[in-house]
Amino acid sequence: QSALTQPASVSGSPGQSISVSCTGTSSDVGGYNYVSWYQHHPGKVPKLMIYDVSNRPSGVSSRFSGSKSGNTASLTISGLQAEDEADYYCASYTSTKTVVFGGGTKLTVL
Amino acid sequence: QVQLQQSGPGLVKPSQTLSLTCAISGDSVSSNTAAWNWIRQSPSRGLEWLGRTYYRSRWYNDFAVSVKSRITISPDTSKNQFSLQLNSVTPEDTAVYYCARSGYYAEYFQYWGQGTLVTVSS
């Protein structure tokens, strides 16, 4: 099972919006609505930000949103804040009953 | 509230076996609606899902292809915990290892252990 494809890095200024893409195949991202997104600050535990493509857990800011089209899912962060600077990973359930993560995207807030 | 507490050594010699345990509170390892996962994170590989164990009238395991020949994940119902064993480790297995809970038709990780840095070195 190959890792999902994410851009290595994205950046934006405070207040702006950015999107992170996550591309898989019809056997993972495109085949199931089981895409999730995690925020990871180095040295801390990863935090669930989005589950089932577009759902936010309780306590996660509404500035975070998720979507999917075909084999590509996207995480959008609006109104960028300094504390959003982190690594972001997507994950998907797969047809072989496994889970695959993306390679991770480093978000820099300029 | 589910809490996961990891334990195990932080240093393992090459070719030996990495062993970690994850103690569960606020849920049961035998729950029919949960799955118990191991995930690792390294600078070179990012987050990597390793495998899981879960109970649905009997015990099941699913493993990542990359480690399938070397991995064991076992539940311990008497202690309400589960464990990871990874055999024949190399320096490439150096990573922070996490246990995490997912759910039945809820394929995401909302609850995580605190993480254990495991270094493979002689």
Side-chain angles (χ1 to χ4, degrees):
Chain A
Q1 187 72 42
S2 299
L4 306 175
T5 301
Q6 298 182 231
S9 62
V10 297
S11 62
S13 299
Q16 287 186 332
S17 294
I18 64 95
S19 288
V20 180
S21 62
C22 171
T23 301
T25 70
S26 58
S27 295
D28 39 64
V29 174
Y32 304 91
N33 287 324
Y34 289 143
V35 176
S36 52
W37 290 89
Y38 301 86
Q39 178 189 65
H40 189 212
H41 288 104
K44 295 198 170 183
V45 176
K47 178 183 178 183
L48 175 69
M49 305 303 285
I50 297 288
Y51 67 94
D52 295 352
V53 175
S54 60
N55 293 306
R56 270 191 318 277
S58 175
V60 171
S61 171
S62 58
R63 298 185 298 106
F64 291 83
S65 62
S67 62
K68 189 184 83 167
S69 177
N71 295 337
T72 298
S74 297
L75 171 71
T76 299
I77 308 173
S78 60
L80 267 181
Q81 299 180 1
E83 60 261 35
D84 298 334
E85 186 163 294
D87 297 322
Y88 289 85
Y89 293 89
C90 62
S92 177
Y93 182 73
T94 82
S95 61
T96 54
K97 298 198 301 178
T98 62
V99 175
V100 63
F101 280 95
T105 298
K106 181 177 179 60
L107 169 61
T108 300
V109 180
L110 302 170
Chain B
Q1 178 79 347
V2 177
Q3 292 188 321
L4 303 174
Q5 181 67 39
Q6 298 176 218
S7 59
L11 181 63
V12 182
K13 289 182 167 49
S15 79
Q16 294 193 343
T17 297
L18 180 160
S19 296
L20 296 173
T21 298
C22 182
I24 303 163
S25 57
D27 203 342
S28 169
V29 71
S30 303
S31 167
N32 275 297
T33 58
W36 305 99
N37 302 260
W38 287 98
I39 296 163
R40 65 184 178 184
Q41 195 276 333
S42 64
S44 59
R45 296 188 177 190
L47 287 173
E48 181 183 11
W49 179 83
L50 299 177
R52 62 183 176 183
T53 189
Y54 53 99
Y55 185 77
R56 304 287 184 265
S57 302
R58 70 171 178 91
W59 289 101
Y60 293 86
N61 288 114
D62 300 311
F63 299 124
V65 169
S66 61
V67 295
K68 193 168 188 174
S69 63
R70 301 192 289 133
I71 191 171
T72 303
I73 296 179
S74 304
D76 183 342
T77 56
S78 66
K79 295 182 179 178
N80 201 30
Q81 63 187 29
F82 63 108
S83 63
L84 166 70
Q85 286 193 311
L86 190 63
N87 302 325
S88 305
V89 296
T90 72
E92 289 282 301
D93 294 310
T94 293
V96 177
Y97 286 76
Y98 296 98
C99 59
R101 180 194 184 279
S102 58
Y104 187 54
Y105 289 109
E107 304 291 348
Y108 52 87
F109 311 106
Q110 187 165 16
Y111 301 105
W112 295 68
Q114 80 274 24
T116 302
L117 173 59
V118 179
T119 302
V120 179
S121 174
S122 55

